[in-house]
Amino acid sequence: MSGEVPARTGRLRGVLRGPRPEAVPALVARACTLVGLLDIAAGVFPRFRNSRMHTLAEVLPGAFGPFAAALSLSAGVLLLLLAHGLRRRKRRAWRAAVILLPLGALAQFTYRHSLIGVLISLALLAPLLRHRSEFEALPDPRSRWRALANFVLMGAGSLLLGLVIVSVHPNRMVGNPSLADRISHVLYGLFGFEGPVDYQGTTSWTVAFSLGALGLLTAVTTVYLAFRPEHPAARLTEDDETRLRALLDKHGGRDSLGHFALRRDKAVVFSPSGKAAVTYRVVSGVMLASGDPIGDVEAWPGAIERFMDEAKAHSWTPAVMGCSETGGEVWTRETGLDALELGDEAVVRVADFSLAGRAMRNVRQMVKRIERAGYETRVRRIRDLSEGELDRIRRAAEAWRGTDTERGFSMALGRIGDPEDGDCLIATAHKADTDPGPYGDLKAVLHFVPWGTDGVSLDLMRRDRSADPGMNELLIVAALQAAPRLGVARVSLNFAMFRSALARGEKIGAGPVLRAWRGLLVFLSRWFQIESLYKFNAKFRPYWEPRFVVYRSSRDLPRIGFAAMQAEGFVNLALPRLLRHRAPAPRPCAHAVTERDVRAA
């Protein structure tokens, strides 16, 4: 199938390989880091300032004048913060460095008449000016929680560094203050007040100015992050969604994850022809796409090119989660990225499904037992539900969510009952109750999104925690049995991470490495339901479609993994609810998949 895609690797591999770390930005970042550490050392340790390196340290940018210790600390911390932006080729970091270094050189010449200080500044400034084209990356999307994160991290760093500053003058310290007194002195000093620790001579002024500088840096950077203009979060516009739906109408049968591109917390880039698109979200500096590109396979390279250009423009790390084998081949061939098998998607052919036979005995017995308990099922299209019943299902799904945060990104639509999603399939379980709750006789819900014209893909699984175990099996069987009358020939179930390792590791003859890997996955399943999802899916005798993660280099995998866990909702770094900035939500509210709902299986 990949042969259908026109090869353009000669141009794309050179242009689209992505924002690999360049030699000059990396070298400049290391130089800034080194100078920053030397500045901090010069401001903190008196022996360092009075050693043979004193001559060099005193002429570093920011280390002049009567407030040398405080200014060295300030310059050191700022240069350390600046180094990260320079390494990522950020334009604003380059501008800050270009302004900072000439000011440092001017100050050296004005206050110290030091040519060495001027030369050190110009030595760093020269490669910045010469290679300015390397620093073109645009800013990342902004959010208010970064101000809180900065306050916590900078505050903790200032506290630790301040404790070092207070403690490195033992010969000039009056008495023998306790650790609590030293911590109190640091806290007072960060706010500009005098603490309980006394020193002989001018050391008190040095410590006070140093602590005050750290406190000021923490306050200024936090205020800047809190009040700077906020970039809007990724959102599909109505025009973007209309264009994506048109592409799905023509090519939606290719990928079972295609309809999830319509999540409204994603952004999108289209190919120049408009015949293909890639949807994505930026998380912690990772430009994370999911599934295959949408649209005509022949136009995929154009959409991939736009995706990689966007990643390069912002210096984001490009990655793709859950693409098919065909998608992985196109991504790697066109961009030079690498691919790694992530797991398998369970797909059931409706024509082959049956509850008969020994292999289906457990599922058959569970379904019969639940039906005898008085449960009944209904499988319908969203457009066939009344507004009142749809509202009740929405409220129940929200209340039955197993986690405080929404989960789902690559295999979750994020909403139920949108007027535009009339083709979505919904399976519900009902049981007459003498004391019905706020949702009537509703006990469980499964939601499926369209997969072309003859398939559906599982999106959401929710159930009343007081209902009998086995609701998910009951509704999946009901959906599979109702599929023929609804024109559905294939049903995609959950994604099972590392399925092949789990399956091969339990077979006779598995080697020690494979058994050890399987043992680790079973251990991790206590938190991430890796094994339980695989076993749950395997009950329905599916065939398995491999899914891949596409990445730039092996060292990016931990960062991509962390970003994916954030996107899926397993890691939440948002502000506390009371402090969150509430963006307007003109379109329907979100409900995402929670894998925890399969635990009852």
Side-chain angles (χ1 to χ4, degrees), residues 158-166 180-193 195-197 211 214:
S158 297
L159 181 62
L160 293 176
L161 188 56
L163 194 59
V164 174
I165 293 171
V166 170
D181 289 336
R182 299 183 189 195
I183 294 176
S184 298
H185 191 84
V186 173
L187 293 175
Y188 277 111
L190 292 176
F191 287 95
F193 299 104
V197 180
L211 295 177
L214 289 175

Side-chain angles (χ1 to χ4, degrees), residues 391-598:
D391 179 68
R392 184 167 65 251
I393 291 173
R394 288 196 198 103
R395 291 187 290 109
E398 175 71 21
W400 296 340
R401 190 176 65 218
T403 58
D404 292 335
T405 58
E406 295 284 359
R407 286 188 176 178
F409 168 69
S410 57
M411 294 186 70
L413 183 61
R415 60 182 181 268
I416 295 179
D418 188 279
E420 299 293 330
D421 298 326
D423 287 337
C424 289
L425 199 68
I426 196 157
T428 54
H430 305 263
K431 182 182 180 182
D433 201 332
T434 56
D435 184 20
Y439 316 114
D441 62 353
L442 184 64
K443 298 300 179 183
V445 176
L446 259 63
H447 187 252
F448 299 83
V449 300
W451 173 12
T453 58
D454 64 345
V456 292
S457 186
L458 181 59
D459 167 39
L460 176 144
M461 306 169 71
R462 299 280 166 82
R463 67 180 183 86
D464 187 341
R465 300 300 172 180
S466 64
D468 293 340
M471 289 292 102
N472 293 325
E473 289 92 334
L474 174 68
L475 288 180
I476 288 177
V477 169
L480 290 169
Q481 292 177 337
R485 67 175 175 82
L486 295 170
V488 174
R490 49 187 179 166
V491 176
S492 170
L493 301 179
N494 292 295
F495 172 75
M497 291 185 62
F498 310 114
R499 194 275 315 176
S500 58
L502 289 169
R504 293 198 304 266
E506 63 184 356
K507 291 183 177 180
I508 296 177
V513 175
L514 187 56
R515 287 183 179 274
W517 174 225
R518 181 182 181 278
L520 177 61
L521 293 176
V522 172
F523 174 75
L524 294 175
S525 296
R526 299 179 182 181
W527 296 278
F528 299 106
Q529 292 84 49
I530 298 173
E531 185 184 29
S532 60
L533 273 175
Y534 158 57
K535 290 186 175 181
F536 178 82
N537 293 332
K539 291 180 179 181
F540 304 97
R541 317 299 294 175
Y543 69 91
W544 300 97
E545 287 286 348
R547 291 282 173 174
F548 299 83
V549 56
V550 177
Y551 60 98
R552 186 177 56 190
S553 65
S554 298
R555 61 176 172 269
D556 290 333
L557 285 175
R559 185 179 183 186
I560 293 171
F562 183 72
M565 292 180 70
Q566 287 181 261
E568 297 288 352
F570 289 101
V571 177
N572 183 22
L573 300 181
L575 281 170
R577 184 174 298 178
L578 294 177
L579 300 179
R580 292 178 193 170
H581 173 72
R582 294 187 178 182
R587 302 217 250 168
C589 60
H591 303 279
V593 168
T594 170
E595 295 175 348
R596 191 175 297 178
D597 289 325
V598 303

Side-chain angles (χ1 to χ4, degrees), residues 30 51 59 164 233 331 338 355 373 473 534:
R30 292 191 190 102
S51 67
V59 298
V164 174
W331 275 98
D338 293 321
L355 286 177
E473 289 92 334
Y534 158 57

Side-chain angles (χ1 to χ4, degrees), residues 117-315:
V118 174
L119 292 176
I120 290 177
S121 298
L122 295 181
L124 281 174
L125 182 62
L128 284 174
L129 294 176
R130 181 179 178 183
H131 300 281
R132 58 185 177 274
S133 61
E134 298 286 345
F135 302 90
E136 295 291 342
L138 300 174
D140 292 339
R142 299 168 179 170
S143 59
R144 302 297 185 193
W145 74 266
R146 293 181 184 272
L148 179 62
N150 178 83
F151 178 77
V152 173
L153 296 177
M154 285 284 290
S158 297
L159 181 62
L160 293 176
L161 188 56
L163 194 59
V164 174
I165 293 171
V166 170
S167 304
V168 293
H169 306 277
N171 296 330
R172 294 183 174 272
M173 191 177 292
V174 176
N176 186 23
S178 64
L179 178 61
D181 289 336
R182 299 183 189 195
I183 294 176
S184 298
H185 191 84
V186 173
L187 293 175
Y188 277 111
L190 292 176
F191 287 95
F193 299 104
E194 187 176 350
V197 180
D198 291 328
Y199 298 90
Q200 299 174 359
T202 60
T203 303
S204 293
W205 289 102
T206 302
V207 172
F209 279 121
S210 299
L211 295 177
L214 289 175
L216 184 62
L217 279 178
T218 302
V220 169
T221 54
T222 300
V223 169
Y224 168 73
L225 292 173
F227 290 99
R228 65 179 178 170
E230 185 174 13
H231 287 184
R235 298 287 178 191
L236 283 184
T237 66
E238 292 186 8
D239 179 63
D240 290 337
E241 188 171 333
T242 300
R243 296 175 66 184
L244 285 174
R245 288 185 183 276
L247 293 177
L248 288 171
D249 288 340
K250 294 181 180 179
H251 308 282
R254 179 177 295 278
D255 184 16
S256 63
L257 306 188
H259 200 85
F260 297 122
L262 297 176
R263 280 185 67 100
R264 288 166 180 164
D265 57 358
K266 290 183 177 181
V268 61
V269 289
F270 289 91
S271 65
S273 65
K275 295 181 178 180
V278 176
T279 58
Y280 66 91
R281 188 195 300 172
V282 179
V283 183
S284 296
V286 177
M287 191 176 181
L288 198 63
S290 60
D292 292 344
I294 306 300
D296 188 352
V297 178
E298 293 186 356
W300 282 9
I304 291 173
E305 179 179 359
R306 291 285 178 86
F307 177 88
M308 297 298 288
D309 284 346
E310 190 76 6
K312 186 174 182 179
H314 292 269
S315 193

